[in-house]
Amino acid sequence: RVRGFRSIHFRFKVAYPTDIEAAKEIIGKAVEECPYSVPAKPGPDGPMYGPVYFMEYGDSCLELTTTVYYTASNTTERVRSDVNTRVKQALEAAGIEIPYDYVNVVVRDEDGKK
């Protein structure tokens, strides 16, 4: 954890056919472009923001996560809203589907027919 800063853990869900490396890059770039985010630590090629990880296979998605660091002078809500908006817009622009859960209800009559 970065001293003197706050952090928010984000979880982003993408569709199974998604190119994971492309989605990770898009999310990372969106975080870096957020005016409220700050680098997590210095790196060999400059400041490094929190990495984006592919964490798990969900029921209808692949889950990617990252941690965003920001200064205490910003509110959590402002940072969360900005990052979520940027990531959603960037994924949509890249044609990456953001899946959502839905229920398909099948009704049968007393004989078991649809």
Side-chain angles (χ1 to χ4, degrees), residues 12-16 18 20 23 60-62 64 91 96-99:
F12 299 106
K13 297 177 180 184
V14 296
Y16 267 94
T18 300
I20 293 297
S60 59
C61 67
L62 303 174
L64 306 173
L91 291 174
I96 295 176
E97 179 186 352
I98 301 170

Side-chain angles (χ1 to χ4, degrees), residues 16 28 31 33-34 36 38 43 47-48 55-57 60 64 66 68 71 76-77 79-81 84 100 107:
Y16 267 94
V31 168
E33 291 175 351
C34 172
Y36 311 116
V38 296
M48 292 177 54
M55 294 303 287
E56 68 180 79
Y57 295 92
S60 59
L64 306 173
T66 191
V68 175
T71 61
T76 301
E77 295 82 8
V79 177
R80 185 177 295 280
S81 178
N84 280 331
Y100 56 91
V107 179

Side-chain angles (χ1 to χ4, degrees), residues 87-103:
V87 169
K88 182 179 187 302
Q89 290 171 343
L91 291 174
E92 287 177 347
I96 295 176
E97 179 186 352
I98 301 170
Y100 56 91
D101 294 332
Y102 65 93
V103 176

